């Protein structure tokens, strides 16, 4: 373990999930915020969900960076995030009700595209249509994130900055509503939405959000210049990335570390370390290929153990997560795409009590052995995992804070994972609380 004084110049760390999301990023980001003066979201929307447990109290956050739980830490919502103004305000109010000061330290990029009510309607109606025509749901959270990104790429989105200009806002909203009502009524068989209530809501939100609107990229540059440590908090996970994930069963943004720069406006040369968060096993919410998936329904099975002991239910949706063994071949893909500097293995304690633990080291595909996750979702469906079996441990790892305290088989498991995927394990999480953490190398000092 390294000790010593933090360097005087700002160090910037990017935290990303290396699997299909829900790796426990929220807890780790919260833990690291001790050493950061700013926390930045750079992609996704309020489809992300972090559960933090601080002094035994559970708090769920969707859009606002978890740094908000630490007094004095600045929180930035970068341009890569899509913002539902109504939701954002309700999240601010929820945090204020806990006694937290939010508005003076939250900065929202003026360039964030807005999520508006028609995006939510379209999202839900399309999923329902996909299901009814048998083409299969994508498994979206139905919060309008994907349709809002579509408008961004089509260069017709309303952005946070439009909220400052009521006339411009109304004109753009009217045009966009016409377009989306045509899809809702003509293609999706849904009801059209009305302009006035939507406009009234947007204007009300505008008034409240205006003091928090900012040129986030420039602010980050200035913060970096005065030596602030910045923490970039990824949402979802690498295998859900729109380009690199298991397309089309992916989210609608880039969740890889590279987007920490594009989605915030701070150049990539100012990012120093990428921390990959990896669950000690694998989970996935929603549809899409999952080579190491296990049965979670049958009591007494490994899958059931992971699901129940790991409490694998979505923070936002409440949906049961699919569970399976750790997939080193999928992780290898993530390590490469993100340029991971070090890993934090989370939820090691969930494996406590298992007699044997398996690691997927590669797959059989069309008579060949492949050692990295293929790019084509149909091919991944055909992949048969090749497993290596390791002894489990009967002692508990829950709450341990020291590497030497870990049972020997747990250490051997982690060392094997490290060797297979080619990235160092710098941290291990052994419980939901921020203190349940083993530190081997501090990302802000590495
Ligand atoms: P995120 O979106 O990546 O932050 O992940 P979630 O918050 O959706 O899921 C992580 C869940 O696991 C939360 O309920 C955390 O409190 C919990 N958690 C995080 N780390 C650990 C750990 O090491 N052990 C256990 N048992 N739970 C953990």
């Amino acid at each position: 373990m390294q000790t010593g004084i933090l360097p005087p110049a700002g160090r910037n760390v990017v935290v990303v999930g290396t699997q299909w999301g829900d790796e426990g990023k929220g807890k780790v980001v919260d833990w690291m915020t001790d050493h950061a003066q700013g926390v930045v979201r750079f992609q996704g929307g309020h489809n992300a969900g972090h559960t933090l447990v601080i002094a035994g109290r559970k708090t769920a956050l969707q859009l606002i960076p978890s740094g908000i739980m630490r007094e004095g830490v600045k929180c930035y919502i970068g341009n890569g995030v899509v913002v539902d103004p109504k939701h954002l305000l309700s999240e601010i109010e929820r945090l204020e009700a806990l006694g937290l000061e939010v508005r003076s330290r939250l900065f929202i990029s003026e360039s964030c595209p807005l999520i508006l009510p028609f995006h939510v309607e379209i999202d839900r109606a399309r999923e329902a249509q996909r299901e009814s025509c048998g083409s299969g749901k994508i498994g979206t959270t139905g919060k309008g994130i994907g349709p809002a990104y579509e408008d961004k790429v089509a260069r017709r989105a309303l952005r946070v900055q439009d909220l400052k200009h009521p006339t411009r806002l109304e004109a753009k909203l009217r045009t966009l509503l016409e377009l989306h009502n045509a899809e809702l009524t003509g293609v999706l068989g849904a009801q059209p939405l009305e302009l006035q209530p939507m406009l009234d809501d947007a204007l009300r939100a505008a008034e409240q959000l205006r003091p928090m609107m900012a040129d986030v990229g420039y602010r980050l540059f200035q913060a970096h210049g005065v030596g602030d440590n910045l923490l970039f908090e990824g949402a979802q996970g690498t295998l859900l990335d729109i380009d690199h994930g298991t397309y089309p069963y992916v989210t609608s943004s880039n969740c890889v570390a590279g987007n920490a720069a594009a989605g915030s406006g701070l150049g990539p040369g100012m990012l120093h370390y990428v921390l990959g968060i990896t669950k000690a096993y694998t989970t996935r919410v929603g549809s899409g290929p999952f080579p190491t998936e296990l049965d979670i329904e049958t009591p007494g099975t490994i899958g059931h153990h992971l699901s129940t002991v790991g409490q694998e239910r979505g923070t936002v949706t409440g949906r049961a997560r699919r569970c399976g063994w750790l997939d080193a071949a999928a992780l290898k893909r993530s390590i490469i795409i993100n340029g991971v500097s070090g890993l934090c293995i989370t939820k090691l304690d969930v494996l406590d009590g298992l007699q044997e633990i398996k690691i997927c080291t590669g797959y059989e595909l069309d008579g060949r052995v492949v050692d990295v996750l293929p790019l084509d979702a149909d091919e991944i469906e055909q992949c048969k995992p090749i497993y290596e079996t390791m002894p489990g441990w009967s002692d508990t790892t829950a709450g341990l804070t020291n590497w030497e305290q870990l049972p020997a088989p747990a250490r051997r498991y982690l060392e094997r994972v490290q060797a297979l995927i080619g990235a160092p394990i710098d941290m291990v999480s052994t419980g939901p609380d921020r203190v349940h953490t083993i530190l081997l190398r501090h990302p802000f000092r590495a």
Side-chain angles (χ1 to χ4, degrees):
M1 187 193 297
Q2 290 197 349
T3 52
I5 305 162
L6 288 176
R11 292 271 301 166
N12 302 323
V13 171
V14 184
V15 176
V16 288
T18 59
Q19 294 155 314
W20 280 288
D22 309 311
E23 296 93 346
K25 296 176 293 295
K27 170 205 153 155
V28 179
V29 167
D30 173 60
W31 184 90
M32 299 231 304
T33 307
D34 261 352
H35 295 281
Q37 287 71 48
V39 184
V40 189
R41 275 283 307 268
F42 56 89
Q43 46 78 220
H46 61 299
N47 52 347
H50 288 322
T51 313
L52 306 176
V53 180
I54 298 164
R57 190 173 67 178
K58 249 191 181 187
T59 307
L61 293 171
Q62 280 98 47
L63 192 58
I64 298 178
S66 48
I68 208 73
M69 308 301 288
R70 297 287 175 110
E71 213 175 300
V73 171
K74 293 193 174 78
C75 290
Y76 302 88
I77 297 182
N79 55 277
V81 176
V82 280
V83 170
D84 180 331
K86 234 176 147 173
H87 173 89
L88 177 57
L89 278 173
S90 72
E91 208 170 310
I92 291 171
E93 285 161 9
R94 207 152 39 80
L95 289 166
E96 285 174 334
L98 294 173
L100 293 165
E101 166 50 36
V102 180
R103 293 176 203 238
S104 63
R105 50 196 185 96
L106 179 62
F107 302 93
I108 307 157
S109 168
E110 290 194 10
S111 308
C112 291
L114 297 180
I115 302 173
L116 293 156
F118 38 74
H119 295 128
V120 180
E121 288 303 312
I122 288 176
D123 200 357
R124 291 180 185 166
R126 283 189 196 158
E127 276 290 77
Q129 195 179 58
R130 278 185 209 108
E131 193 173 29
S132 66
C133 75
S135 65
K137 289 164 92 170
I138 289 178
T140 82
T141 51
K143 291 176 185 294
I145 315 281
Y149 274 119
E150 285 173 30
D151 278 350
K152 166 183 170 168
V153 177
R155 290 165 291 187
R156 59 179 177 233
L158 274 96
R159 310 208 294 178
V160 165
Q161 59 199 209
D162 292 314
L163 294 171
K164 296 197 295 191
H165 307 286
T167 317
R168 184 167 111 189
L169 176 75
E170 181 172 350
K172 286 181 81 170
L173 194 58
R174 189 183 297 278
T175 311
L176 208 52
L177 178 62
E178 249 170 54
L179 178 84
H180 290 311
N181 269 345
E183 182 179 350
L184 278 170
T185 55
V187 183
L188 297 167
Q191 293 300 312
L193 297 180
E194 282 176 32
L195 175 69
Q196 202 55 48
M198 207 177 295
L199 182 62
D200 291 346
D201 277 352
L203 290 170
R204 256 196 304 275
E207 214 170 288
Q208 295 221 40
L209 294 179
R210 196 173 172 133
M212 290 172 267
M213 294 179 197
D215 178 346
V216 163
Y218 193 54
R219 268 188 180 271
L220 291 174
F221 176 72
Q222 287 177 316
H224 176 62
V226 297
D228 280 5
N229 284 339
L230 301 170
L231 193 56
F232 292 77
E233 177 180 11
Q236 289 92 35
T238 303
L239 303 178
L240 292 173
D241 181 277
I242 182 81
D243 288 296
H244 303 284
T246 50
Y247 192 91
Y249 304 101
V250 290
T251 195
S252 37
S253 61
N254 286 111
C255 355
V256 294
N259 199 29
S264 73
L266 192 72
M270 284 176 269
L271 307 175
H272 303 107
Y273 176 104
V274 177
L275 179 67
I277 313 295
T278 304
K279 214 178 270 195
Y281 48 99
T282 312
T283 61
R284 172 164 204 163
V285 175
S287 324
F290 180 178
T292 62
E293 182 169 16
L294 296 168
D295 163 27
I296 58 166
E297 302 296 337
T298 314
T301 59
I302 302 286
H304 189 260
H305 171 102
L306 298 175
S307 168
T308 50
V309 179
Q311 299 183 10
E312 295 298 350
R313 289 199 166 269
T315 312
V316 176
T317 58
R319 289 184 282 188
R321 295 173 182 148
R322 300 155 67 194
C323 298
W325 293 116
L326 190 88
D327 186 341
L331 282 176
K332 205 187 261 180
R333 168 80 61 198
S334 280
I335 305 303
I336 297 167
I337 301 165
N338 289 303
V340 162
S341 320
L343 290 173
C344 175
I345 303 289
T346 61
K347 300 189 101 166
L348 182 68
D349 53 300
V350 173
L351 301 183
D352 289 355
L354 295 179
Q355 273 191 345
E356 286 185 335
I357 295 174
K358 292 189 181 182
I359 309 175
C360 167
T361 58
Y363 321 101
E364 269 179 41
L365 175 66
D366 296 332
R368 292 173 293 135
V369 172
V370 288
D371 66 353
V372 69
L373 191 76
L375 296 173
D376 182 322
D378 287 346
E379 277 185 22
I380 302 174
E381 287 286 9
Q382 304 305 317
C383 280
K384 291 201 176 52
I386 300 166
Y387 288 112
E388 197 172 290
T389 304
M390 300 196 64
W393 52 91
S394 52
D395 306 335
T396 178
T397 65
L400 295 185
T401 55
N402 201 308
W403 177 261
E404 282 71 35
Q405 293 170 332
L406 288 174
R411 289 202 298 263
R412 277 198 290 276
Y413 174 65
L414 295 174
E415 281 159 359
R416 184 65 188 134
V417 171
Q418 188 168 257
L420 280 169
I421 64 180
I425 294 174
D426 285 344
M427 294 170 71
V428 181
S429 171
T430 56
D433 202 285
R434 52 163 76 131
V435 296
H436 303 151
T437 306
I438 297 172
L439 175 67
L440 299 164
R441 191 169 69 129
H442 201 301
F444 276 120
R445 294 173 196 160

